[in-house]
Amino acid sequence: MAVRPGLWPALLGIVLSAWLRGSGAQQSATVANPVPGANPDLLPHFLVEPEDVYIVKNKPVLLVCKAVPATQIFFKCNGEWVRQVDHVIERSTDGSSGLPTMEVRINVSRQQVEKVFGLEEYWCQCVAWSSSGTTKSQKAYIRIAYLRKNFEQEPLAKEVSLEQGIVLPCRPPEGIPPAEVEWLRNEDLVDPSLDPNVYITREHSLVVRQARLADTANYTCVAKNIVARRRSASAAVIVYVDGSWSPWSKWSACGLDCTHWRSRECSDPAPRNGGEECQGADLDSRNCTSDLCVHTASGPEDVALYVGLIAVAVCLVLLLLVLILVYCRKKEGLDSDVADSSILTSGFQPVSIKPSKADNPHLLTIQPDLSTTTTTYQGSLCPRQDGPSPKFQLTNGHLLSPLGSGRHTLHHSSPTSEAEEFVSRLSTQTYFRSLPRGTSNMTYGTFNFLGGRLIIPNTGISLLIPPDAIPRGKIYEIYLTLHKPEDVRLPLAGCQTLLSPIVSCGPPGVLLTRPVILAMDHCGEPSPDSWSLRLKKQSCEGSWEDVLHLGEDAPSHLYYCQLEASACYVFTEQLGRFALVGEALSVAAAKRLKLLLFAPVACTSLEYNIRVYCLHDTHDALKEVVQLEKQLGGQLIQEPRVLHFKDSYHNLRLSIHDVPSSLWKSKLLVSYQEIPFYHIWNGTQQYLHCTFTLERVSPSTSDLACKLWVWQVEGGGQSFNINFSITKDTRFAELLALESEGGVPALVGPSAFKIPFLIRQKIISSLDPPCSRGADWRTLAQKLHLDSHLSFFASKPSPTAMILNLWEARHFPNGNLSQLAAAVAGLGQPDAGLFTVSEAEC
């Protein structure tokens, strides 16, 4: 019976449904389902079946099926039939049997595979029909090929002695398909089949059974698959040879001095490639008793010779004594001239600490500083592009005595009108000099030895200047600046990423006697196994240098960084421009992204825009977006969420769902929007966002309910359930109200610190000296969880001061002195004695 062409798809659909109901579970091998009573010899059998294949980059892959006899062939992928229009069909007749032959091809794209979201592997299978029944082909799995950049383990440099074994480990980067590994010796391929002294283990380690001098080379592990080829860092292997002595030579003839000698050389073998030199002397001598030496020292000529030599030696000693006396007298005269010079006393500020009252020896009084000097600072010590003008003056004027917070006593001699004006400004508790060159991301202040604090409000960025960090007799004008990443060229190598804001404090080159503490946020998920973190500093020439590698066993004594969950505290005695940079060591490395949804406060048209921002989870990034949205007239419409964005090279996708079609219409023409991986991972692009434009069906529509998804391909995600009124709902606005940090951008003197100055001095004097019972600064650091790098604190004149400074930086302005007092009391120190200041001390 003939079937009209228009009815064929319907009949085929009925046959497919019946087959699906009776086929049961899918098999990976070819399966035939004959029709009862039909000839099994006429069942389709496959000449070509689909095979496993990898998608490289964004190129689609081709799957092919060919069967005979076959009237229809269709592909089925992950349980769903592929549309007929996506099949390319070729029909022919088998030349030997005359049976109908059919070949079908389809393309599979990367987007189709990614839609599975990693829940299962993507597979395709073809089904062929004939008059006798159906046959299913084997499953073909389609996988996205990749090769990560970082090796899980790289070979390390070695120095080995001759004939010692060498093992160079290598664990290639994760990849699909798994990477093949080969080794290079000085860029030449290592072939174990040509050198029986070398072999490669199943774990990809290179093994040299017995080291030879020729094995001294640079070795590189190379991993490759169909996507890419990666090279590890080269490992220098040095095969050295320790030196060994040759046999002694024969004894020489007896000389006039009645000795003879013999020699040997360090040449059997000679040391090579840094091997140890031979131990011992290469020349040996001894007395000889030949007739030539008998009675040689008994003549009168020898006696005269010895007497003359003794006389010359005595004369030389006397001459040397005379020269020493002359030199000492000249030096005494020079010292007396220098002692009279005022250059030694310029800027020197003596401090004396003594009991204030005989009946209370425990109270301390710091004598006021009555001297005054003036120093002019002309020009910048390092060229820079931001901050104050390159010409400014630092004046060591009349300073404040270091008394309790809020109680300032002025000491001065011969005051001038300029000094009086400066003192009247400095004597306030919270002093800040307003400068016309400042912006919202820049702050300035003038400080002396009492120290202080600079704060850029609502950014998490501050600079703590501890007491005595500025030399006594000096006054510095110090600035603190937050830079936009696009304004500063920070080169990032490989897969490095910016984790913190770029911050400058200066002027560079000023003399500091104690480290200051720069506090700033970061967006990394700190894990020693996932990240390699480095503190970068820009040099005077403009290049960026790694000044600290966090987690090193031998930390720098010039810099130290206390890394916490969302902030870092940098100790430095050199002001400059800093940034925290991370490099992922594994796919577990992640950055925290803050997701913010904004929409217009007032909607005057039918269109309504929802802006989704993806920014670093830091206060400074949040502040920039909030200020931008205020200018755009936007409001927050959902509570912010945090997304952990991994170093997987996969993009970030955003999509909107469940928009009520009776009230709204989405103007998005694709199923999702996408932000490229590198735009996010680089960390230098601000205001990354996607906009979803909705259109109201009616101007009276005010309620909006929908879902918005944000996810990383093959990674984590967040979903937002939006349900609010676009005309009157402001419930989330208060979540982003910018709060002031510490009141003003600059605090000078005691008001900048939670710990009163005299209490601080008591704690330092009590805990700095080592204590056999453990009641010293080391135990305090442990109690405050600041013991990660005790060696850094120990390298400073006062370790306790460093710990208290860090406590101040971490706990301002809401620090709890009672908790600190409890920690000190737990050391066996009297709580009340250290944390009480009498009226006399104020």
Side-chain angles (χ1 to χ4, degrees), residues 17-52:
S17 300
W19 176 82
L20 282 174
R21 287 194 297 268
S23 61
Q26 298 296 322
Q27 304 295 323
S28 60
T30 302
V31 177
N33 291 316
V35 175
N39 185 358
D41 294 334
L42 294 179
L43 282 171
H45 69 274
F46 288 97
L47 303 177
V48 178
E49 294 187 73
E51 297 180 348
D52 294 349

Side-chain angles (χ1 to χ4, degrees), residues 176-363:
I176 295 178
E180 298 178 356
V181 172
E182 61 186 20
W183 284 86
L184 301 180
R185 178 196 286 132
N186 289 341
E187 302 303 319
D188 294 328
L189 182 64
V190 177
D191 189 353
S193 64
L194 301 178
D195 187 354
N197 193 42
V198 175
Y199 68 94
I200 299 175
T201 68
R202 295 178 60 182
E203 292 77 22
H204 311 299
S205 297
L206 179 66
V207 178
V208 180
R209 291 183 172 90
Q210 289 186 320
R212 303 156 297 191
L213 288 176
D215 294 321
T216 297
N218 290 320
Y219 290 84
T220 307
C221 182
V222 178
K224 61 181 180 180
N225 66 4
I226 59 177
V227 178
R229 186 173 186 266
R230 311 289 189 205
R231 292 166 57 99
S232 72
S234 294
V237 174
I238 299 176
V239 181
Y240 62 85
V241 179
D242 292 333
S244 182
W245 291 111
S246 65
W248 287 103
S249 66
K250 295 182 179 180
W251 288 103
S252 67
C254 195
L256 294 176
D257 55 351
C258 296
T259 61
H260 59 174
W261 54 271
R262 60 178 181 173
S263 63
R264 58 179 178 176
E265 295 181 349
C266 189
S267 59
D268 190 21
R272 299 276 301 273
N273 296 340
E276 292 186 0
E277 295 285 342
C278 300
Q279 302 297 319
D282 59 353
L283 193 65
D284 184 23
S285 64
R286 67 181 182 182
N287 293 331
C288 56
T289 57
S290 64
D291 295 338
L292 181 63
C293 293
V294 178
H295 306 301
T296 55
S298 59
E301 297 85 356
D302 293 332
V303 176
L305 176 62
Y306 293 145
V307 172
L309 290 174
I310 293 173
V312 170
V314 172
C315 293
L316 290 175
V317 171
L318 292 176
L319 179 60
L320 180 62
L321 291 175
V322 172
L323 292 175
I324 291 174
L325 291 174
V326 172
Y327 173 78
C328 292
R329 290 188 177 183
K330 288 185 177 182
K331 187 174 184 302
E332 289 177 359
L334 179 63
D335 289 344
S336 62
D337 294 338
V338 174
D340 292 338
S341 174
S342 62
I343 191 171
L344 290 181
T345 60
S346 176
F348 177 72
Q349 310 296 337
V351 177
S352 61
I353 301 178
K354 61 182 181 180
S356 59
K357 294 183 180 181
D359 55 346
N360 192 352
H362 298 290
L363 299 180

Side-chain angles (χ1 to χ4, degrees), residues 771-788:
C771 179
S772 59
R773 296 180 292 104
D776 58 13
W777 63 270
R778 293 175 180 84
T779 309
L780 177 63
Q782 294 173 357
K783 285 182 172 292
L784 298 179
H785 307 291
L786 302 177
D787 54 341
S788 56

